[in-house]
Amino acid sequence: MFQELVKRTRTIRRFQEAEPVAPAVLRELVELARFGGSARNCQPLRFLLVTERQRRERIFPHLGWAGYLADWPGPVAGERPAAYIVCLLVRDRLAGSEREAYCDLGIATQNMLLGAAAKGIFGCRIGSFSDRLADELAIDDAHQILLVLALGYPAEQVVLAEVPPDGSIRYWRDAAGVHHVPKRSLEDITIMG
């Protein structure tokens, strides 16, 4: 059952924008992030929850979408995220390497995405965003935006595929708009020691 949840937890970039994600659901997801591991138990992350339409509209132009789909500018109106969780680093809580903070971030966002998928909500981790986003959100100098988690009910289908013979891992969309994500085989990624 858990393996099926992991397989279903795919990155979604087109959403049912009109279908809201309740703030209470976002709080449940942050609770899952809170329970995750943290290097030296430093807990340097904070999470800004955004559901209000006007604020979402101000965030959207600052985001970069789907680097492998160069001719796609991102979701159109009506297919944009219904919510965002902006992941922040409390700068004075770093107390170690930035690498540790990014490990915490990976754990936290995976916990949130798994919890969201269990509710039929999917997301996209966005690390490509404008430097002006912090100003747009009035984020003070004590915090640094690390990642934006876009969330909503899916308006697209994502399927896993085998890596083709040429070895390309580039995701792609077929003529029907189905998003294909090549995954390396277990044999290709496993090293026996």
Side-chain angles (χ1 to χ4, degrees), residues 60-81:
F60 182 81
H62 294 281
L63 305 177
W65 292 88
Y68 286 155
L69 304 176
D71 60 340
W72 187 64
V76 297
E79 293 185 343
R80 293 181 178 161

Side-chain angles (χ1 to χ4, degrees), residues 2-191:
F2 181 71
Q3 186 180 38
E4 286 308 309
L5 179 62
V6 171
K7 285 181 176 179
R8 285 190 310 137
T9 305
R10 308 291 5 127
T11 296
I12 297 292
R13 294 177 181 86
R14 292 184 296 172
F15 305 89
Q16 297 174 41
E17 186 174 355
E19 187 70 33
V21 177
V25 170
L26 296 183
R27 289 180 55 81
E28 289 175 27
L29 300 180
V30 171
E31 183 83 342
L32 296 174
R34 184 176 77 86
F35 290 141
S38 176
R40 291 179 289 114
N41 203 31
C42 191
Q43 303 175 59
L45 304 177
R46 296 298 178 269
F47 305 94
L48 172 65
L49 311 180
V50 180
T51 57
E52 193 268 321
R53 183 181 58 80
Q54 290 176 335
R55 199 156 193 211
R56 291 190 335 254
E57 288 175 356
R58 291 196 329 258
I59 291 172
F60 182 81
H62 294 281
L63 305 177
W65 292 88
Y68 286 155
L69 304 176
D71 60 340
W72 187 64
V76 297
E79 293 185 343
R80 293 181 178 161
Y84 293 104
I85 297 177
V86 182
C87 303
L88 306 168
L89 171 66
V90 180
R91 293 180 196 269
D92 70 359
R93 293 264 173 103
L94 188 55
S97 75
E98 193 168 315
R99 188 178 87 194
E100 288 177 348
Y102 279 99
C103 287
D104 286 8
L105 180 66
I107 293 166
T109 57
Q110 187 67 13
N111 283 0
M112 289 190 284
L113 288 171
L114 287 167
K119 296 176 177 294
I121 299 166
F122 294 85
C124 181
R125 290 179 180 105
I126 302 172
S128 175
F129 49 84
S130 144
D131 292 338
R132 296 183 311 279
L133 182 58
D135 292 334
E136 183 67 52
L137 294 172
I139 304 295
D140 61 29
D141 289 340
H143 296 86
Q144 173 187 344
I145 299 173
L146 296 181
L147 192 76
V148 178
L149 193 58
L151 294 162
Y153 292 91
E156 69 179 341
Q157 180 184 6
V158 176
V159 296
L160 297 178
E162 296 293 323
V163 171
D166 69 4
S168 176
I169 55 163
R170 295 175 71 92
Y171 48 78
W172 54 279
R173 291 204 175 128
D174 64 24
V178 175
H179 193 89
H180 296 261
V181 181
K183 290 292 183 180
R184 298 183 199 282
S185 72
L186 182 60
E187 291 75 25
D188 285 345
I189 66 167
T190 304
I191 301 169

